[in-house]
Amino acid sequence: DCRIERRVFVSSAAYEGDLGFAVDNPDMLAGIPLADARCNSLALAAGLPPTFKAWLSDSDTSPAERFDTSFSGLYRLLSPDFPVVADGWPDLTDGSLAHPIDADETGALTQKNVLTNTAPDGSPASDQHCSAFTANDNSSSTIGQSSASDSTWTSLIPSLCSESRRIYCFEDP
């Protein structure tokens, strides 16, 4: 198969709702731009190109608006056997995955709750998003499960912004 492939992972690092704003953030990024930087920092450390975007939604944007929705190649994990997660954007956003996103940027398997605030179709799941991912307080945001391949991979339940969660990172140059 000569189709273009893009990698996807769940971060090995966990972040509270402000995405660790005060830690290792020399450019003083906040919100989704900081999440993208977190994905790219982890990717670089694992020997991957810095072409990743976080699967997060707030009131202003979402993966359905930020990602290449015309992508028709394969989304693959970095774990052994490189399982296919989805066959292009339409398959990624149809409510189920071919394989859970259960490996981090090094390929290590992990089953964690993941900060998303994103519905299965790539749109915002709610208007609850840790103040655009700048707060780590008792507000809430929707989380998903990295062990799931049904819609709960991205939209499970609300969770407090003060709790540490992983983030999904998708290659999207």
Side-chain angles (χ1 to χ4, degrees):
D1 193 349
C2 296
R3 295 171 53 198
I4 294 172
E5 295 182 354
R6 293 187 178 165
R7 292 157 286 205
V8 58
F9 62 85
V10 61
S11 66
S12 60
Y15 309 97
E16 292 179 347
D18 70 349
L19 303 167
F21 176 79
V23 179
D24 193 26
N25 185 10
D27 295 328
M28 301 304 290
L29 298 172
I32 292 175
L34 177 56
D36 290 346
R38 298 289 188 218
C39 285
N40 287 312
S41 176
L42 293 168
L44 277 170
L48 301 169
T51 54
F52 286 81
K53 293 179 184 170
W55 179 267
L56 285 177
S57 297
D58 62 19
S59 295
D60 295 326
T61 192
S62 67
E65 296 174 71
R66 298 183 333 114
F67 285 33
D68 175 7
T69 59
S70 67
F71 182 64
S72 60
L74 301 174
Y75 291 103
R76 284 194 186 270
L77 288 178
L78 297 162
S79 61
D81 299 326
F82 303 98
V84 173
V85 169
D87 188 348
W89 177 263
D91 190 34
L92 179 66
T93 56
D94 70 0
S96 65
L97 301 175
H99 191 282
I101 303 172
D102 61 355
D104 69 17
E105 67 277 3
T106 69
L109 297 178
T110 184
Q111 295 185 351
K112 302 291 182 181
N113 288 332
V114 183
L115 191 61
T116 67
N117 193 46
T118 305
D121 66 358
S123 67
S126 75
D127 61 358
Q128 304 291 311
H129 44 66
C130 303
S131 298
F133 302 103
T134 63
N136 59 351
D137 55 17
N138 287 331
S139 61
S140 65
S141 182
T142 302
I143 62 169
Q145 289 181 297
S146 68
S147 62
S149 58
D150 62 8
S151 64
T152 62
W153 76 269
T154 186
S155 186
L156 176 64
I157 58 172
S159 179
L160 294 177
C161 297
S162 59
E163 296 178 357
S164 292
R165 303 288 182 206
R166 311 297 169 109
I167 55 176
Y168 290 123
C169 302
F170 284 77
E171 190 172 20
D172 194 72

